[in-house]
């Protein structure tokens, strides 16, 4: 491997390098290529501590494109925005921009289903290595009206997408529970039907979102109590055991309509934001579950008055600041102690902003012949199939 460095020291050095450098080093010699592309090295590289980096997505209404870039947290301010860090985005949405299902270990899960054609494939994309995989056609596809929700997470070295399908009831506007469920495993490259699903909760129609925390996918959901009332809660899917469960909300949050709630990760804890909308005004309360899966640990941290054009919370910084999208098509940092906002110089349509923790990885690095696919031509979604990526 090297005449000058012990193998253990060389590996330790390589593990600290960025993905871009590692890709270049695969051409040094066959032994380096074998090492860097091995599943053991890829897993170790993902787990190696790195600087805190965030992934930002925004949609620019002027060039009508969605932009993905890295934001690095600095001492002098919440972010250091490097224009050179913007990733080339090889896809085109039918309606402007994709729904981001989630982001795990450098893999971004995308779905082009915002009120559009739900038959479009779900995509797993690694922007660092410029490779991706379009998932095969789903196996649960009711002919009648239905809705679905997706979740994305990782267990060990296997990345999974879970799909919940709710069929519309013929006698009213509701949907049948429990849903039909299928799971895609990147390790096998296939969807399979999950049997024995028996929960009675329904994920919010169309505008659902998820967070992945503690090896578990979380969605806001609700249960119909009678014709006039519902109970809100959190539906969870344990990625490893593929078991569904429920996490209760505080009594105050459980009484709220799920349409007024939004789920987040705050620090290393589960969080929920409760919105109160009024004409020309409004506010939102930030709640955190201080002890995971303990109902009594739900705590209201603070309230944000949605004035001066503030519209919705996008994410939270480690410093405690909230990142809020405004009607002015910009992202601002909100300090809960001073209740002041600070412009970040980041612009995009209000609903398009997405921010999540990001770790560079070599996942999906190999192409069909064990090489990096630097460029693609033609319609990427039409050309792509499962044979065009490396399943780790």
């Amino acid at each position: 491997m090297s005449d000058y460095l012990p193998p253990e020291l060389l590996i330790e050095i390589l593990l600290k390098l960025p993905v871009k450098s590692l890709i270049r080093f695969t051409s040094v010699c066959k032994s380096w290529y074998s090492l860097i592309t091995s599943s053991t090295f890829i897993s170790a590289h993902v787990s190696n501590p790195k600087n805190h980096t965030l992934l930002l997505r925004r949609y620019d209404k002027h060039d009508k494109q969605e932009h993905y870039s890295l934001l690095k947290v600095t001492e002098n301010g919440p972010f250091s925005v490097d224009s050179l860090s913007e990733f080339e985005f090889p896809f085109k949405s039918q309606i402007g921009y994709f729904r981001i299902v989630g982001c795990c270990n450098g893999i971004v899960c995308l779905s082009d289903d915002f009120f559009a054609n739900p038959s479009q494939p779900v995509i797993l994309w690694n922007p660092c290595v410029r490779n991706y995989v379009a998932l095969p056609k789903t196996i649960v596809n009711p002919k009648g009206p239905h809705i679905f929700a997706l979740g994305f997470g990782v267990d060990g070295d296997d990345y999974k997408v879970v799909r919940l399908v709710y069929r519309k009831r013929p006698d009213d506007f509701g949907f049948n529970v429990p849903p039909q469920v299928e799971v895609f495993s990147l390790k096998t490259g296939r969807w399979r039907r999950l049997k024995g699903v028996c929960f009675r909760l329904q994920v919010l129609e169309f505008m659902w979102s998820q967070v992945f925390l503690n090896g578990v996918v979380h969605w806001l959901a609700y249960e119909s109590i009678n014709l006039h009332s519902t109970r809100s809660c959190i539906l969870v899917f344990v990625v490893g055991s593929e078991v569904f469960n429920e996490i209760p909300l505080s009594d105050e949050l459980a009484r709220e309509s799920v349409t007024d709630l939004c789920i987040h990760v705050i620090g290393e804890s589960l969080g929920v934001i409760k919105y109160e909308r009024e004409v020309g005004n409004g506010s939102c309360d930030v709640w955190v579950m201080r002890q995971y899966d303990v109902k009594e640990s739900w705590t209201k941290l603070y309230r944000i008055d949605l004035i001066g054009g503030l519209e919705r919370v996008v994410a939270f910084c480690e410093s405690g600041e909230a990142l809020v999208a405004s009607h002015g098509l910009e992202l601002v940092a909100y300090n809960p102690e001073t209740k002041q906002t600070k412009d970040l110089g980041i612009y995009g349509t209000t609903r398009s902003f997405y921010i999540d923790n990001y770790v560079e990885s070599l996942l999906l690095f190999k192409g069909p012949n064990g090489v990096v696919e630097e460029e693609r031509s033609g319609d990427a979604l039409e050309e792509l199939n499962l044979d065009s990526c490396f399943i780790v």
Side-chain angles (χ1 to χ4, degrees), residues 79-365:
F79 297 122
S80 171
V81 184
D82 183 1
S83 60
L84 298 178
S85 72
E86 183 164 331
F87 295 113
E88 178 183 350
F89 190 62
F91 316 110
K92 182 66 176 177
S93 169
Q94 304 173 87
I95 53 172
Y97 54 89
F98 282 77
R99 184 202 299 267
I100 300 179
V101 180
C103 180
C104 293
N105 293 343
I107 302 295
V108 184
C109 182
L110 303 166
S111 177
D112 195 16
D113 69 293
F114 276 124
F115 305 105
N117 183 2
S119 66
Q120 289 295 303
V122 177
I123 298 168
L124 300 183
W125 172 51
N126 185 336
C128 276
V129 302
R130 300 172 65 183
N131 209 353
Y132 54 89
V133 56
L135 274 56
K137 185 177 180 180
T138 55
I139 55 179
V140 179
N141 298 291
K143 293 182 178 180
H146 64 279
I147 59 173
F148 69 89
L150 298 171
F152 177 57
V154 59
D155 175 58
D157 63 349
D158 194 12
Y159 294 76
K160 298 180 181 180
V161 178
V162 58
R163 183 170 179 261
L164 287 60
V165 181
Y166 294 88
R167 302 182 64 174
K168 185 180 180 303
R169 293 195 297 262
D171 54 341
D172 59 23
F173 294 103
F175 294 86
N176 289 318
V177 290
Q180 296 174 284
V181 178
E182 57 186 332
V183 176
F184 174 85
S185 164
L186 187 56
K187 183 174 285 189
T188 65
R190 295 181 178 87
W191 289 98
R192 55 184 170 77
R193 180 80 176 270
L194 197 63
K195 299 181 179 179
V197 176
C198 58
F199 62 85
R200 307 294 297 177
L201 303 175
Q202 183 176 322
V203 176
L204 178 64
E205 299 94 323
F206 305 114
M207 299 308 295
W208 54 266
S209 64
Q210 62 118 75
V211 298
F212 180 69
L213 180 69
N214 299 330
V216 179
V217 175
H218 305 73
W219 302 269
L220 284 167
Y222 64 93
E223 179 183 25
S224 296
I225 304 302
N226 52 49
L227 292 177
H228 306 288
S229 64
T230 61
R231 175 184 67 88
S232 296
C233 61
I234 297 175
L235 173 65
V236 303
F237 175 74
V238 183
V239 176
S241 61
E242 299 186 352
V243 171
F244 287 94
N245 211 327
E246 176 186 336
I247 290 181
L249 294 170
S250 67
D251 291 339
E252 179 178 339
L253 293 175
R255 290 192 294 267
E256 295 293 325
S257 169
V258 72
T259 58
D260 295 327
L261 305 177
C262 189
I263 193 165
H264 285 268
V265 173
I266 303 176
E268 297 181 355
S269 300
L270 200 60
V272 167
I273 298 178
K274 183 187 78 170
Y275 287 90
E276 294 182 5
R277 303 289 188 182
E278 299 176 9
V279 178
N281 202 347
S283 64
C284 63
D285 294 334
V286 179
W287 289 72
V288 67
M289 191 177 227
R290 295 193 180 277
Q291 187 174 351
Y292 187 74
D293 201 14
V294 176
K295 177 182 177 180
E296 293 73 21
S297 72
W298 280 107
T299 305
K300 184 165 71 171
L301 298 180
Y302 54 86
R303 170 171 291 189
I304 301 176
D305 292 321
L306 299 177
I307 58 178
L310 299 183
E311 182 170 333
R312 73 177 186 95
V313 176
V314 178
F316 294 87
C317 298
E318 288 186 343
S319 63
E321 291 183 314
L323 304 178
V324 185
S326 72
H327 288 299
L329 305 183
E330 63 181 335
L331 195 67
V332 301
Y334 175 86
N335 187 316
E337 295 182 358
T338 65
K339 299 186 182 301
Q340 300 297 310
T341 60
K342 179 167 52 180
D343 294 343
L344 300 177
I346 301 173
Y347 299 91
T349 58
T350 304
R351 292 288 168 181
S352 71
F353 284 120
Y354 175 93
I355 294 178
D356 200 354
N357 291 320
Y358 184 77
V359 178
E360 286 189 347
S361 79
L362 288 160
L363 294 161
L364 303 184
F365 170 55

Side-chain angles (χ1 to χ4, degrees), residues 56-73:
L56 164 71
R57 191 279 301 276
R58 62 184 181 84
Y59 178 78
D60 191 320
K61 69 175 185 178
H62 299 293
D63 63 16
K64 294 181 170 51
Q65 293 183 14
E66 51 185 305
H67 298 267
Y68 291 76
S69 56
L70 296 182
L71 304 178
K72 295 185 178 180
V73 180

Side-chain angles (χ1 to χ4, degrees), residues 18-36:
V19 166
K20 187 175 182 179
S21 298
L22 291 172
I23 292 176
R24 290 202 307 266
F25 289 164
T26 58
S27 61
V28 170
C29 61
K30 290 183 179 179
S31 60
W32 281 37
Y33 176 87
S34 298
L35 169 65
I36 293 171

